[in-house]
Amino acid sequence: MPNGLLDIESLSRTEIEALLERARYFQPWQRDKDKRQDLLKGRLMVNLFYEASTRTRISFEIAAKRLGADAISITSSGSSVSKGETLLDTVNTLGAMRPDAIVMRHSASGAPHFLAKQLVEIPIINAGDGQHEHPTQALLDALTILDKRPTLEGLRVAIIGDVLHSRVARSNVHLLSKFGADVVLCGPAPLAPKELASIAAGVSVTHDMKEALRETDIIMMLRVQLERQNEVSFPQVDYYRFYGLRLEHLGLAKQGAIVMHPGPMNRGKEISTEVADSSHSVILSQVENGIAIRMAVLEKVLS
Ligand code: CP
């Protein structure tokens, strides 16, 4: 990973394991009274977000600060992007201020890869590009699963919802497949087309939520991403009835199955409040682990 972190697909198992191991070292820091060490003192990380974010943007900022680095966040609405500046001009402008890494989120799939080719001296960390990948989300999801299970190998993971438009799903599929998990993608046909099974080894697709949940170890729910759909491909009124996770579904999964959601979640749309707040849910652990993972990634990229 010489130039940053662009996706999970191009990472090796060894690289992923190294990041997870380092994140485990950082996990206890989150609950210490003194949360800061100066491993990255003097380094500058710039967050450049062209799409809304709560978890990713803030946790990258916290991660940088906990490592002693300086962190600046820019959003498209509060910058000269709103005056018509191109992505490349904005990034070249930021590059002239000599940051040590740029963390970016963009609605266009491949935007960070494009910039990484243009700006060879400044590492780019992908914080979510269109419907392509969200690598740090998959890493924090893996860390959260491994807090509860000894290995990813042989786990059955159901990813349910708007899989087609989900960068979270794509990154998770690549990571879980590399570690020998079986992934079942599930959603209405327009949002979970059968072709998605060819993304990686060990992936299957079903449109039947009960089939996806049967004997599953891990349930990952996804938000319907209306912002990435030109037309609504499944009636919203029927969505919760067919694909909303409710308490009665949990009996289909393995005993002790865990429920995940990358957030932001829409209660009563893809997940019920009872499930989201149940003892099965690790949704807030995912958020907490996001800081440890982003510390590991920043340390690797900025050191
Ligand atoms: N999971 C995730 O990417 O959340 P945000 O959009 O709030 O960053």
Side-chain angles (χ1 to χ4, degrees):
M1 198 169 51
N3 293 318
L5 173 63
L6 298 178
D7 51 48
I8 294 290
E9 186 176 8
S10 58
L11 291 187
S12 67
R13 260 181 81 134
T14 309
E15 286 171 310
I16 293 169
E17 276 164 351
L19 288 169
L20 292 173
E21 191 180 322
R22 198 60 185 154
R24 272 188 212 102
Y25 170 76
F26 290 128
Q27 272 178 316
W29 289 27
Q30 315 313 319
R31 295 184 180 223
D32 278 356
K33 199 167 175 202
D34 185 359
K35 297 181 172 60
R36 182 176 159 144
Q37 285 195 24
D38 284 338
L39 299 178
L40 295 180
K41 190 163 181 249
R43 307 293 160 85
L44 172 62
M45 178 207 77
V46 173
N47 262 338
L48 174 61
F49 277 60
Y50 283 77
E51 281 191 334
S53 169
T54 298
R55 282 145 284 266
T56 312
R57 186 170 64 82
I58 292 171
S59 62
F60 263 114
E61 199 169 318
I62 292 171
K65 288 178 177 170
R66 287 195 179 155
L67 291 167
D70 295 315
I72 292 175
S73 287
I74 304 162
T75 56
S76 51
S77 59
S79 69
S80 289
V81 170
S82 62
K83 299 178 195 163
E85 192 168 63
T86 65
L87 173 63
L88 189 54
D89 282 338
T90 297
V91 174
N92 276 328
T93 301
L94 293 174
M97 298 179 200
R98 303 288 163 208
D100 297 291
I102 295 177
V103 177
M104 74 167 297
R105 171 171 287 189
H106 201 280
S107 59
S109 301
H113 302 70
F114 165 74
L115 288 179
K117 284 196 187 117
Q118 306 291 325
L119 252 88
V120 287
E121 286 175 15
I122 300 173
I124 305 282
I125 299 172
N126 181 4
D129 63 320
Q131 55 194 69
H132 174 232
E133 279 225 33
H134 189 348
T136 55
Q137 180 70 45
L139 290 167
L140 74 88
D141 288 343
L143 184 65
T144 307
I145 295 170
L146 290 167
D147 284 343
K148 301 279 181 190
R149 298 287 186 277
T151 175
L152 299 175
E153 191 159 359
L155 288 182
R156 182 175 157 92
V157 182
I159 304 182
I160 300 170
D162 180 2
V163 184
L164 181 66
H165 299 102
S166 176
R167 53 198 178 204
V168 173
R170 203 167 291 267
S171 285
N172 266 299
V173 164
H174 285 303
L175 191 152
L176 292 164
S177 171
K178 284 179 200 285
F179 284 85
D182 289 322
V183 182
V184 183
L185 304 176
C186 174
L191 301 180
K194 292 281 184 193
E195 301 80 65
L196 289 175
S198 62
I199 297 178
V203 181
S204 60
V205 176
T206 177
H207 308 306
D208 179 348
M209 185 169 167
K210 288 182 179 162
E211 187 187 321
L213 290 171
R214 206 156 284 131
E215 288 301 304
T216 200
D217 298 278
I218 314 291
I219 307 168
M220 280 189 192
M221 300 307 296
L222 301 173
R223 182 174 65 86
V224 177
Q225 302 195 34
L226 294 173
E227 74 273 25
R228 294 192 210 292
Q229 298 179 26
N230 294 329
E231 55 190 61
V232 177
S233 38
F234 194 80
Q236 290 296 294
V237 285
D238 290 334
Y239 188 86
Y240 185 66
R241 187 153 65 94
F242 288 103
Y243 297 103
L245 185 67
R246 303 184 290 280
L247 276 182
E248 68 257 30
H249 291 125
L250 297 182
L252 295 166
K254 274 200 189 138
Q255 202 171 6
I258 63 173
V259 175
M260 309 178 76
H261 194 306
M265 65 180 154
N266 293 134
R267 292 167 184 260
K269 288 195 175 160
E270 70 269 5
I271 189 168
S272 73
T273 281
E274 292 76 18
V275 174
D277 298 337
S278 73
S279 59
H280 292 267
S281 168
V282 293
I283 294 168
L284 291 178
S285 301
Q286 290 173 265
V287 176
E288 183 170 341
N289 279 334
I291 299 176
I293 281 293
R294 287 163 183 136
M295 288 170 82
V297 169
L298 287 175
E299 184 189 47
K300 169 89 177 154
V301 171
L302 292 176
S303 295

